[in-house]
Amino acid sequence: MVSEVRSMKTMAAMMVVMAGMGAWAQAPAAPVAQPQAPATHATAPVDPFPPVNLKNFTASSPTTAEVNDFLKQAWGFDDNRIWSIAAILKTQAPGVVRVIVFATDKAHPDKLSRNEFFVTPDGKHAIAGGVVDFGPAPFADRRALMRQEADGPAEGGANKDLLMVLFVDFLNDRSKDAQEIANNLVKDIPQARLVVESLPADGSPYAFHSAAEGVCVRKAKGDAAFFAYGQEIYNRQKGLTPETLQAALDAAVVAAGADAKSVAACSATPETKAVVEASIALAAKAGVDLAPILIVNGRVLPPVDVPYDTLKRIVAYQAQLDGISVKVQPTLTNLK
């Protein structure tokens, strides 16, 4: 499997700024014609885009309508951006199609960016420095997967209509920041349900062990205790060494209201290890192999790499796309 998020800075560039594409606005889909004609934003007072050469539309699939539907899903959260599809071209690789799009901002229409990505032969993936899902509903399969299999500790909304799944590594300082961001999203978007899944660093027995103890804290004392345990570990991250780790974990267990010896014994059982391995396997199915990652109704986001207000806007927009009415609260905290 080609990971969609091996480098989350690359993923952020693709799905949030698309290597300079910016945050795109919703544009009306052009009628499908042969040759295909691109679509531009209907409300732009002056067309800021270069003239279209219809010779640059040599591929029959994807259509301009399909490309527009994809861009609406990816970038419609920001209505300040407009775009024009400049080319949908066959390439020398059988079935691989090159898409070129010009984008700009309504306030600065003279500042155009030229952007391109490639659509795979199956029509389900796009490549632009990383691999992402493509199509009119690119996040649907992953959303279904998360709804079915993400069963970690949860807080927030009572149902999975707006489901945020956060993959974390307790010993990763970026996961600490991601947890803080996710907690604030739950406060600011009360309908959102947050589920935390463990994704310990590859080959790190310490990260796996901390995740296993979290499983046992939850088993003994419930979801709230798990979140208390995780927060205590995050608070103790600085200066942790292999020699001091167990003492820190014991203290976190006690802070969560559980018994340190019982949790340590539980963490070594095959049943507990299987729970952590199932969480790792879920991440792999979703194309995720590096924590922290936030998946919102199937949409993969790098929570630490996106400005908080933008992230909140994306979550609310994804809810809208999925037919969920959300009440977004004003941001009450100063985030990093």
Side-chain angles (χ1 to χ4, degrees):
M1 176 186 294
V2 178
S3 172
E4 296 182 10
V5 287
R6 164 51 67 187
S7 166
M8 283 318 303
K9 289 186 177 179
T10 298
M11 184 65 177
M14 177 64 182
M15 291 307 291
V16 181
V17 296
M18 189 79 92
M21 291 173 82
W24 296 45
Q26 182 170 326
V32 179
Q34 298 299 328
Q36 299 179 51
T40 59
H41 202 294
T43 61
V46 178
D47 186 353
F49 301 110
V52 173
N53 186 343
L54 295 181
K55 293 181 180 180
N56 290 331
F57 293 79
T58 59
S60 60
S61 179
T63 66
T64 54
E66 289 168 338
V67 172
N68 267 311
D69 285 343
F70 167 68
L71 296 175
K72 290 176 188 178
Q73 291 274 333
W75 310 116
F77 64 88
D78 186 345
D79 60 7
N80 289 319
R81 289 283 175 163
I82 54 177
W83 70 81
S84 174
I85 301 170
I88 302 177
L89 295 160
K90 294 179 180 179
T91 69
Q92 64 269 33
V96 176
V97 175
R98 181 186 181 194
V99 178
I100 300 174
V101 184
F102 287 100
T104 190
D105 189 283
K106 291 179 182 178
H108 304 93
D110 57 322
K111 296 182 179 179
L112 291 180
S113 63
R114 180 185 183 279
N115 316 273
E116 67 179 72
F117 58 91
F118 295 86
V119 178
T120 56
D122 62 5
K124 295 181 178 180
H125 301 91
I127 303 172
V131 181
V132 297
D133 297 311
F134 179 82
F139 316 120
D141 289 346
R142 192 182 290 106
R143 182 189 184 192
L145 174 67
M146 293 297 108
R147 287 171 64 93
Q148 181 177 355
E149 298 191 24
D151 59 0
E155 63 180 0
N159 59 53
K160 294 183 177 181
D161 291 346
L162 180 53
L163 179 61
M164 304 190 304
V165 181
L166 179 64
F167 287 89
V168 302
D169 177 347
F170 285 133
L171 303 187
N172 178 314
D173 59 353
R174 285 171 61 83
S175 288
K176 176 182 178 180
D177 294 338
Q179 184 69 64
E180 179 183 357
I181 290 166
N183 291 344
N184 280 285
L185 285 172
V186 170
K187 294 176 183 176
D188 290 344
I189 306 177
Q191 294 93 330
R193 180 174 179 81
L194 174 65
V195 173
V196 172
E197 296 283 348
S198 293
L199 185 55
D202 290 347
S204 170
Y206 312 111
F208 191 100
H209 182 55
S210 67
E213 292 218 352
V215 170
C216 295
V217 168
R218 183 194 188 196
K219 181 178 180 181
K221 294 293 181 177
D223 287 6
F226 171 89
F227 284 103
Y229 164 83
Q231 189 57 54
E232 189 66 22
I233 296 177
Y234 290 140
N235 292 342
R236 294 171 177 269
Q237 275 184 347
K238 189 174 182 179
L240 270 184
T241 67
E243 292 72 28
T244 62
L245 176 64
Q246 189 58 55
L249 294 182
D250 289 347
V253 169
V254 171
D259 179 73
K261 288 185 178 180
S262 297
V263 167
C266 166
S267 69
T269 65
E271 293 79 10
T272 297
K273 293 178 180 178
V275 173
V276 179
E277 288 166 354
S279 182
I280 296 171
L282 176 61
K285 290 179 185 178
V288 172
D289 60 4
L290 187 65
I293 290 299
L294 182 67
I295 299 180
V296 179
N297 275 13
R299 183 185 192 123
V300 177
L301 295 166
V304 182
D305 297 313
V306 181
Y308 181 74
D309 285 340
T310 300
L311 186 66
K312 185 167 70 170
R313 193 160 69 248
I314 293 173
V315 174
Y317 180 68
Q318 187 60 48
Q320 175 187 331
L321 289 173
D322 294 327
I324 303 161
S325 177
V326 297
K327 296 179 180 178
V328 180
Q329 305 298 322
T331 300
L332 302 178
T333 53
N334 292 321
L335 299 173
K336 297 178 181 178

